[in-house]
Amino acid sequence: KLHKAAPKRELSAEDRIFVSNGGTAPPTEAPGGIANTGLAVFAQVAAHRALESSDEAPAPPPATWEAYTKKGQESNGVLAMMDMLVADLDKEMQEMEVEEKNSQEEY
C-alpha cells in the first residue's frame, strides 16, 4: 500500500472550541517524502556516473521520418475534385432545366 492516511492528532482546547462552533480543524502536517518513506527524489545516479566517467560523446539520436515537406499537390487534388463535382451539378441542373422547358413546349 503506497498511501498512508495522515495520523489523527489530538486537538488543543482552542481548536476543539473552534471546530464545535462550525469552523474547520487546522491542517495536519504533510507526511515526509514520497509515500511517507523519507525519500524526496528518485534519481538514476548510475546513469549519471556512467556519463561522467566516459570521455566519448553519447550516441546520436535514432533516425526518424524525413524532413517536413508541404503537401500542396495532395490538397490541390481534393479541391479539384470538389470543383469537378460542382461543375457536374451545374451541368446536370442546366440539362434538367432545358429538358423541362422542352417538355413544357411539347405539352
Side-chain angles (χ1 to χ4, degrees):
K1 186 174 176 183
L2 294 177
H3 175 70
K4 285 185 180 178
K8 302 283 182 184
R9 72 173 209 185
E10 188 67 32
L11 295 177
S12 66
E14 290 177 2
D15 291 337
R16 276 184 270 157
I17 293 170
F18 186 70
V19 169
S20 65
N21 286 329
T24 58
T28 58
E29 293 182 24
I34 299 173
N36 204 17
T37 59
L39 296 175
V41 175
F42 288 117
Q44 294 182 354
V45 179
H48 294 287
R49 287 186 189 146
L51 287 176
E52 291 173 1
S53 64
S54 67
D55 292 333
E56 59 189 69
T64 59
W65 294 281
E66 296 83 35
Y68 175 77
T69 57
K70 188 173 180 181
K71 297 184 178 183
Q73 199 171 26
E74 292 174 8
S75 65
N76 287 343
V78 172
L79 294 176
M81 187 182 299
M82 294 293 290
D83 291 339
M84 188 174 65
L85 287 172
V86 169
D88 285 346
L89 280 173
D90 288 341
K91 183 178 176 184
E92 286 180 16
M93 289 175 63
Q94 188 177 17
E95 286 176 1
M96 292 170 72
E97 287 174 1
V98 169
E99 190 176 315
E100 178 68 25
K101 184 178 177 185
N102 291 341
S103 298
Q104 286 293 329
E105 286 177 3
E106 288 177 7
Y107 181 70

